[in-house]
């Protein structure tokens, strides 16, 4: 979970920010590098879909070896799986969130290759469950927070952040052949839904103690501020021809005061 700067490349990770405890930074960086590299395999460059899927298959095999604590090192991605294996061993990280992320990246490749969209919101939320929610669950694991209420609230925040990311990048996604807007839905309705989901998860900021709780406040308020900017556009051209909004100094001051008020 991170403020909007993280959405420039891989969503929702606090990349060793000054609010992250120093003892956790290596593990957080290892998780970020794992997700970012997989994201690059799915998205960057001009490789055809079958090459991307082959690469993600190799990546998945290296993840399996990493989780088995095998002595064999990754040949292609040693700087990813070496630190990740250390984090897994030190913090007993759960495996399923890592595989869920790979599932989502593979789905993006397949859907883009055939021009497939999302038939309904349930399908989109299932994508968010695998593409975003694992991040929050892994972070909560590092912070030692694992009760059911906190996990559900984390899922809500991460899903909201993913939806915000999709709607702010809608023009670029459409140029890449990706359409995440569920059939029959309008963008203003989906923006309202993202806000509702974010507010459902917001109480988590009071359950996560210390500086991490303050970072989480910034995550929530940063997402809500981005929704304000998207809402202000109205329904002009369904946002498809508009550049993504950005947060400026005034926005960050507003976010800071909203964090205090929380």
């Amino acid at each position: 979970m991170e403020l909007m700067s993280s959405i420039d490349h891989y969503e929702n990770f606090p990349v060793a920010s000054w609010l992250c405890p120093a003892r956790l930074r290596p593990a957080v960086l290892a998780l970020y590098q794992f997700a970012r590299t997989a994201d690059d395999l799915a998205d960057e460059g001009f490789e055809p879909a079958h090459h991307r899927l082959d690469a993600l298959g190799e990546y998945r095999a290296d993840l399996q070896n990493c989780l088995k604590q095998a002595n064999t090192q990754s040949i292609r991605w040693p700087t990813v799986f070496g630190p990740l294996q250390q984090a897994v061993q030190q913090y007993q990280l759960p495996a399923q969130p890592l595989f869920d992320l790979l599932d989502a990246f593979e789905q993006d490749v397949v859907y883009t290759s055939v021009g497939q969209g999302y038939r309904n919101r349930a399908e989109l939320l299932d994508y968010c469950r695998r593409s975003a929610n694992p991040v929050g669950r892994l972070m909560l694991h590092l912070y030692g927070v694992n009760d059911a209420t906190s996990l559900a609230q984390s899922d809500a925040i991460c899903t909201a952040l993913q939806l915000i990311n999709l709607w702010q990048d809608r023009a670029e996604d459409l140029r890449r052949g990706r359409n995440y807007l569920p059939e029959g839905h309008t963008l203003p309705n989906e923006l309202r839904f993202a806000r509702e989901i974010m507010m459902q998860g917001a109480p988590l900021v009071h359950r996560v103690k210390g500086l991490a709780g303050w970072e989480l406040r910034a995550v929530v308020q940063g997402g809500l501020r981005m929704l304000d900017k998207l809402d202000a556009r109205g329904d002009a051209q369904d946002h498809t021809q508009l550049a993504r909004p950005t947060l400026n100094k005034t926005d960050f001051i507003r976010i800071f005061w909203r964090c205090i008020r929380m």
Side-chain angles (χ1 to χ4, degrees):
M1 291 173 280
E2 192 199 357
L3 200 51
M4 290 296 116
S5 61
S6 67
I7 291 178
D8 281 341
H9 197 96
Y10 187 73
E11 302 85 15
N12 312 341
F13 262 110
V15 187
S17 76
W18 63 275
L19 289 175
C20 179
R23 64 183 177 83
L24 295 181
R25 289 176 188 173
V28 172
L29 283 170
L31 290 169
Y32 172 79
Q33 194 60 38
F34 167 79
R36 174 170 180 163
T37 302
D39 189 27
D40 285 347
L41 292 174
D43 259 356
E44 297 300 317
F46 302 96
E47 292 291 330
H50 66 280
H51 285 175
R52 295 181 186 277
L53 292 174
D54 287 345
L56 286 169
E58 294 177 30
Y59 202 74
R60 181 183 292 271
D62 278 359
L63 174 60
Q64 291 170 334
N65 286 333
C66 170
L67 294 173
K68 291 176 183 176
Q69 301 183 11
N71 292 326
T72 56
Q73 292 187 345
S74 170
I75 296 175
R76 186 170 175 183
W77 302 282
T79 59
V80 172
F81 290 102
L84 181 62
Q85 188 172 63
Q86 292 179 13
V88 167
Q89 292 173 352
Q90 183 174 0
Y91 295 101
Q92 298 299 301
L93 293 173
Q96 193 58 50
L98 299 169
F99 286 110
D100 284 344
L101 287 171
L102 294 187
D103 287 346
F105 292 134
E106 290 168 344
Q107 179 172 310
D108 268 336
V109 174
V110 173
Y111 276 32
T112 301
S113 68
V114 298
Q116 182 173 339
Y118 290 81
R119 293 174 297 179
N120 50 56
R121 186 183 283 165
E123 286 189 357
L124 181 59
L125 290 179
D126 181 66
Y127 169 74
C128 293
R129 178 186 63 79
R130 289 172 287 120
S131 66
N133 297 2
V135 174
R137 288 182 169 243
L138 288 165
M139 293 303 301
L140 287 186
H141 183 90
L142 290 176
Y143 286 116
V145 179
N146 54 21
D147 63 281
T149 297
S150 295
L151 290 173
Q153 290 171 342
S154 172
D155 288 347
I157 291 173
C158 290
T159 289
L161 287 173
Q162 179 68 295
L163 293 174
I164 294 166
N165 182 62
L166 297 178
W167 308 144
Q168 72 179 8
D169 284 341
R170 181 157 166 73
E172 176 61 25
D173 283 336
L174 288 172
R175 284 193 290 271
R176 290 188 176 197
R178 293 181 179 175
N179 185 5
Y180 292 96
L181 190 66
E183 294 177 12
H185 289 240
T186 65
L187 195 55
N189 282 339
E190 295 311 295
L191 293 175
R192 284 192 292 272
F193 177 71
R195 188 179 296 274
E196 292 170 2
I197 294 295
M198 182 68 85
M199 296 310 297
Q200 290 176 18
L204 181 63
V205 306
H206 303 295
R207 304 175 72 91
V208 178
K209 305 302 181 182
L211 292 177
W214 284 98
E215 181 170 43
L216 189 54
R217 285 170 170 83
V219 169
V220 171
Q221 294 300 336
L224 292 173
R225 183 58 187 151
M226 187 61 70
L227 282 172
D228 292 340
K229 287 181 168 276
L230 291 169
D231 283 334
R233 291 178 166 184
D235 201 18
Q237 302 182 42
D238 198 23
H239 296 209
T240 56
Q241 302 302 316
L242 302 175
R244 65 182 296 180
T246 58
L247 298 176
N248 55 39
K249 182 177 180 181
T250 301
D251 293 316
F252 284 111
I253 292 173
R254 183 173 298 185
I255 289 167
F256 172 78
W257 284 111
R258 288 180 174 179
C259 290
I260 296 295
R261 292 176 62 188
M262 290 185 80

